[in-house]
Amino acid sequence: MRFLFIFFNLLLTVFSVTAAADTDGNHVVPSADMQYYFDAESKIGVDRALELLHQGKFKKFQEEPAFAAAGHGSYWVIFRLPNDQLYRAPQTLEAIDSHIDHLHAYFYRDGQLYDQGVSGYWYPFERKPSYHKNFIYSVTPEMVRGNLNKKGLYFIAEVSSSKYSPLIFKLRNTEFQIAYSTNEYFFLGLFYGLMMLMLIFNFFFYLSVKDRLHLVMMIYILGSITLTLYEDSLGFQYLWPEHPWVNQFLDHFSMPIYLATLMVYIVTYLNIRKKIYKYGIAVAYGLFLLCWFNFSIVAKVTSIAPYLYMLPTTLLYFLAIRRTSIYKKGSVLFLIGFTITYLGLLPKMGIFSQDDFRVVYFFNVGLVLQALFYSMALVQNFKDLKKDKEHAQKETISSLKDREEIISQKVIERTAEVEEQKNIVEGQKEELGRAYEELSQQAEKIKKMNEILNRQNQNLVGDLSNIKKARVMNKKLSFEEFRTMFPTDLSCFQYLADLKWSEGSYRCRKCGSTQHAEGKQPFSHRCSKCGYDESPTFGTIFHRLHISIIKAFYLVFLVYSHKGKVTSIQLSSWVDLPKNTCWRFSKKIIKQMESLDGNQIDGWDDLLLVNENEAVDNNE
């Protein structure tokens, strides 16, 4: 509260000093003293304008204040400066509206033109006649030298603007202008300093409490600063002096951006969740945008356009009144801040006139006050929330103490039950121990029985394999039955490889090395020393065989089982091969049988291997 008292006193001091000074050495040019000519195509120059003036083509303004209407074309404005004030002290002429897009000014006396240059929102800031946010032109001694009573000193200006621009000119003595500008810039600097303090305050408060309302408040303050930087032209003077296009952008979007940030903050603070309210606010804002950007609509409803502009804010204001509780300090502070916001927007939207500088700057003061009250409301809400939290914690602690006593009593009762259960469990544990010992003994017996069964099972598997092989070796079988023993060519090659090189009996036929690796063909051996690759059929009766290895195995089995007494016709029918092929291969088998002593043949597989010399001869 002490801060508020100091702030209000400071504002009153600035306003009183500026208001007092504004009545001394300050002459506002009346609209009745101004004449204008509208150049629809913006083609004529100052000489032609003077000709039209002498021809009586200029008209007098009927409105107060005079204004240049928005749209295409230029206004040529001329008025005479009062002689009595020009003789008092050095004078300056200030065009109050800093938002004029194009202003080409001249002083005129006795046929002599004093060109003051072209400046405005369409041009870089450096083209302004003085380093000031408004248009300030100095009346030089040369312009007022001699007798002014006859014709006097005139001011002529070509004005173009894309929006409504009031033509308010003030003639001031130089000393007053300096004092007035100093107070004005001091006030604006104080305003932006306070806004930045509010921004920093909410930033650090957001970092500490993580409440998104402070983040939304920061966005609203930034939207407010953006609007005021455009409105008072300080942004053009200090931030984007070389980029006048920013003026054109903010001319259209600064107010919609400000209203959008205000609406987001109000909706967030009031915690509006009903869809009907949200839709109503969105429709009102859409209507505002439609009117704001469509000048043809505004021209048709000029009398109600300001009220359409205020529609979304008015709707939010009534919602804020309905949802505000007078019993909560934070809610009251928020409503005060919103009321200041609402009142500050009325002249901005055109409902009240902005001729008086106190009305113009009331919006700036209102922004500071509303940001202050909004921030105070957030802080008060935080305090209320903290107080409620502390109260809830005290109640929770009291409730916990009561529960602790109840729990302590139940713990005692439960402990007695647990002791009783413990004794029961101990007895059951002893019984389980004895049962576990019995089960361990039985498990050991079962393990021994399993070992015996496994050995017997392995013996049975071996016996079955031997029985199966013996059956194949000694009985007459069909080709399909024989294929159960040798189902594929690979099984035949594997059988030959195992028969030739059983138990590591490999020895290279070239160099005699016993080291080998896998060869190129299935189950072949390649010498690791010389690289000689030996197939499983080499050194067997099947070397250089041109028929199926499985059928060749079966032919050997058939010739052996019939002791060589079988015809090629029979073999051909059994194996499904040509008779000549069966005859040639059976002769080779019989020759092998004859080369072996009968005592050396235990089975048909003894016929598969040939002696080493024959194998070498066959290979060569």
Side-chain angles (χ1 to χ4, degrees), residues 507-577:
R507 180 178 295 277
C508 179
R509 296 180 183 273
K510 294 292 185 180
C511 65
S513 174
T514 59
Q515 301 298 321
H516 67 89
E518 292 183 1
K520 296 181 180 179
Q521 299 179 0
F523 301 102
S524 64
H525 285 24
R526 182 175 58 82
C527 178
S528 300
K529 184 176 180 181
C530 66
Y532 174 70
D533 196 343
E534 182 178 341
S535 68
T537 58
F538 182 77
T540 69
I541 197 170
F542 305 110
H543 186 55
R544 294 181 178 175
L545 184 66
H546 300 293
I547 62 175
S548 170
I549 187 69
I550 298 176
K551 292 185 176 183
F553 263 52
Y554 191 42
L555 285 173
V556 174
F557 168 74
L558 290 174
V559 172
Y560 168 75
S561 60
H562 288 82
K563 297 181 181 181
K565 297 177 181 181
V566 60
T567 66
S568 59
I569 296 174
Q570 291 175 314
L571 293 175
S572 175
S573 64
W574 291 338
V575 185
D576 193 21
L577 287 174

Side-chain angles (χ1 to χ4, degrees), residues 113-131:
L113 279 172
Y114 301 92
D115 192 345
Q116 303 299 305
V118 181
S119 56
Y121 257 21
W122 286 348
Y123 308 99
F125 186 83
E126 62 182 10
R127 297 185 64 171
K128 282 203 170 185
S130 60
Y131 193 72

Side-chain angles (χ1 to χ4, degrees), residues 360-378:
V360 174
Y361 288 123
F362 177 76
F363 181 71
N364 296 65
V365 177
L367 285 177
V368 175
L369 291 177
Q370 66 189 254
L372 180 62
F373 279 108
Y374 287 160
S375 300
M376 291 173 62
L378 293 178

Side-chain angles (χ1 to χ4, degrees), residues 225-243:
I225 292 175
T226 301
L227 176 63
T228 54
L229 283 173
Y230 163 75
E231 290 286 345
D232 55 33
S233 296
L234 287 186
F236 186 31
Q237 183 175 357
Y238 294 109
L239 299 182
W240 56 87
E242 301 297 328
H243 305 285

Side-chain angles (χ1 to χ4, degrees), residues 140-270:
T140 64
E142 180 184 359
M143 300 177 189
V144 297
R145 185 179 296 116
N147 187 3
L148 294 175
N149 293 327
K150 292 183 178 180
K151 294 184 179 180
L153 180 64
Y154 290 85
F155 179 78
I156 305 175
E158 180 190 11
V159 179
S160 299
S161 185
S162 59
K163 56 193 171 298
Y164 169 89
S165 297
L167 300 176
I168 302 174
F169 296 91
K170 291 186 178 183
L171 184 65
R172 296 168 172 158
N173 66 62
T174 304
E175 290 183 1
F176 170 78
Q177 181 68 54
I178 293 174
Y180 180 84
S181 298
T182 302
N183 289 335
E184 187 178 26
Y185 274 82
F186 172 77
F187 172 77
L188 291 173
L190 181 64
F191 162 74
Y192 285 111
L194 292 173
M195 292 296 285
M196 290 304 298
L197 284 176
M198 291 297 101
L199 184 65
I200 295 171
F201 168 78
N202 281 277
F203 174 71
F204 283 106
F205 216 88
Y206 170 74
L207 293 180
S208 60
V209 302
K210 303 298 182 183
D211 187 351
R212 67 172 183 154
L213 265 174
H214 291 278
L215 185 61
V216 177
M217 181 64 192
M218 290 168 57
I219 296 174
Y220 169 66
I221 293 174
L222 289 174
S224 303
I225 292 175
T226 301
L227 176 63
T228 54
L229 283 173
Y230 163 75
E231 290 286 345
D232 55 33
S233 296
L234 287 186
F236 186 31
Q237 183 175 357
Y238 294 109
L239 299 182
W240 56 87
E242 301 297 328
H243 305 285
W245 62 267
V246 179
N247 298 325
Q248 309 302 318
F249 174 81
L250 292 180
D251 178 46
H252 293 89
F253 294 101
S254 58
M255 183 58 74
I257 290 173
Y258 168 75
L259 280 184
T261 58
L262 173 64
M263 291 169 60
V264 169
Y265 173 73
I266 300 300
V267 169
T268 305
Y269 183 89
L270 296 177

Side-chain angles (χ1 to χ4, degrees), residues 3-56:
F3 172 78
L4 282 176
F5 178 76
I6 295 173
F7 177 73
F8 279 122
N9 278 287
L10 185 60
L11 286 179
L12 289 174
T13 301
V14 173
F15 269 82
S16 60
V17 170
T18 309
D22 200 34
T23 60
D24 183 22
N26 180 39
H27 172 74
V28 180
V29 179
S31 297
D33 294 347
M34 299 184 195
Q35 299 182 63
Y36 76 95
Y37 177 80
F38 180 66
D39 178 13
E41 297 181 355
S42 300
K43 289 185 177 181
I44 70 174
V46 64
D47 295 330
R48 177 58 180 163
L50 289 173
E51 291 179 6
L52 294 172
L53 175 65
H54 295 315
Q55 294 173 8

